[in-house]
Amino acid sequence: MPANFQVPFLAVLLSPMPKVQKMQENFVRKLSDGMRAEVASLSGEWELDRAASEAGALREFLLACGAPRIFAGPLARKFDSDRLVITISDSSVTLATPRNGWSLPIKLQTDATYTRGSETILSTPRGNQRASLIQSKDGFIEIVKDGPAVGERVTERYTAVGGRLEQELHHLSPDGKKEVVVRRTFKRV
């Protein structure tokens, strides 16, 4: 074999391979396109997937948030019939709960727009909460609400999972000793 054959062969091996580079570029593009599609998939109207969620699952969460025991169960079941509408823009997320023929007997703000970098004030029967949009990308939304009591915190997480919406609600008591976690699954309307 001629000596000059080895040099070009080694040069080809050591140089960037166009096909491999193209495959890497396509993989990264498809991955980022998939992430954008996942984020977009959170936008829309959702209803509770009753087969995948416990009926009245919000009861313990509502009790932790201060709802009277006599109303928590019926109210939780009413919330099961509500739909959730999510609208995502570049810098904000709007969560709305259009009522299904009933209205809340208490002063509770369930519809709000959360903007990255600013605080949203929400009214509750026990006082105002200060809410912040923590993250809204990669098929995931996280909102943190402080108050109304000092040290009290509610965290809402929404995740796109296989065409479904997983909602996770955390309530941390003002003393930080008790946390209630509720998970519900929604399907697209």
Side-chain angles (χ1 to χ4, degrees):
M1 191 174 332
N4 64 353
F5 178 75
Q6 293 177 354
V7 173
F9 180 73
L10 286 174
V12 168
L13 279 180
L14 297 175
S15 68
M17 299 178 78
K19 283 188 177 182
V20 171
Q21 281 182 328
K22 187 66 172 172
M23 287 171 49
Q24 289 172 336
E25 289 170 6
N26 286 339
F27 175 76
V28 169
R29 183 177 40 75
K30 285 180 181 177
L31 182 63
S32 65
D33 287 350
M35 286 181 188
R36 281 193 291 273
E38 195 70 18
V39 171
S41 72
L42 287 174
S43 288
E45 190 168 355
W46 302 88
E47 67 183 359
L48 189 68
D49 184 342
R50 294 176 188 273
S53 300
E54 181 183 337
L58 288 177
R59 182 181 182 279
E60 294 304 313
F61 181 79
L62 293 170
L63 287 170
C65 290
R69 187 166 297 282
I70 193 166
F71 295 118
L75 191 55
R77 286 189 296 280
K78 284 291 188 188
F79 275 124
D80 285 351
S81 66
D82 282 342
R83 292 184 172 178
L84 177 64
V85 178
I86 299 176
T87 307
I88 300 173
S89 72
D90 289 338
S91 62
S92 67
V93 171
T94 300
L95 297 176
T97 308
R99 295 290 164 241
N100 190 13
W102 70 282
S103 62
L104 286 168
I106 55 175
K107 181 183 174 188
L108 179 63
Q109 183 178 349
T110 57
D111 302 348
T113 298
Y114 306 93
T115 304
R116 193 174 291 116
S118 67
E119 204 170 68
T120 301
I121 303 299
L122 302 170
S123 63
T124 75
R126 294 180 29 237
N128 289 340
Q129 288 181 315
R130 296 173 323 282
S132 301
L133 176 63
I134 303 300
Q135 185 176 1
S136 63
K137 62 179 185 175
D138 302 337
F140 180 75
I141 297 169
E142 182 174 23
I143 298 164
V144 173
K145 301 174 181 177
D146 290 319
V150 175
E152 185 175 12
R153 176 168 275 192
V154 171
T155 304
E156 297 182 18
R157 294 185 181 111
Y158 301 88
T159 309
V161 179
R164 302 265 190 223
L165 172 69
E166 298 290 328
Q167 177 192 54
E168 187 175 282
L169 305 172
H170 292 251
H171 178 273
L172 184 64
S173 64
D175 61 8
K177 293 181 180 178
K178 183 177 180 186
E179 183 174 27
V180 173
V181 180
V182 174
R183 291 177 182 86
R184 302 191 308 162
T185 302
F186 290 79
K187 58 187 178 182
R188 195 172 291 282
V189 175

